[in-house]
Amino acid sequence: MEINWLIIVAVFIAVVLLVYILIKQNKKDRKKIEEELNYVPEGEEAEINNEKES
């Protein structure tokens, strides 16, 4: 049975492209989640600073 190299190369390129896209999307999602978790309204931030000084 002869191996069809064109199909193998196409599948390999598709897998590499998919992995690249997923890694890129994961980095965007992680950055967005970190920004949401680190978000503190200014009023609360002032209260936190006052608590540290006490």
Side-chain angles (χ1 to χ4, degrees), residues 1-5 7-8:
M1 186 168 119
E2 188 176 322
I3 298 174
N4 193 344
W5 288 105
I7 293 174
I8 292 173

Side-chain angles (χ1 to χ4, degrees), residues 9-50:
V9 170
V11 169
F12 180 75
I13 291 172
V15 168
V16 170
L17 186 62
L18 179 65
V19 168
Y20 173 76
I21 291 170
L22 291 175
I23 290 172
K24 190 174 178 182
Q25 185 65 37
N26 188 29
K27 287 181 181 180
K28 284 183 184 178
D29 290 344
R30 181 179 293 169
K31 184 176 180 182
K32 184 178 177 182
I33 290 172
E34 285 178 359
E35 288 175 358
E36 289 176 0
L37 291 176
N38 289 330
Y39 174 74
V40 177
E42 289 184 21
E44 290 182 19
E45 189 173 308
E47 291 175 11
I48 292 171
N49 289 336
N50 289 338

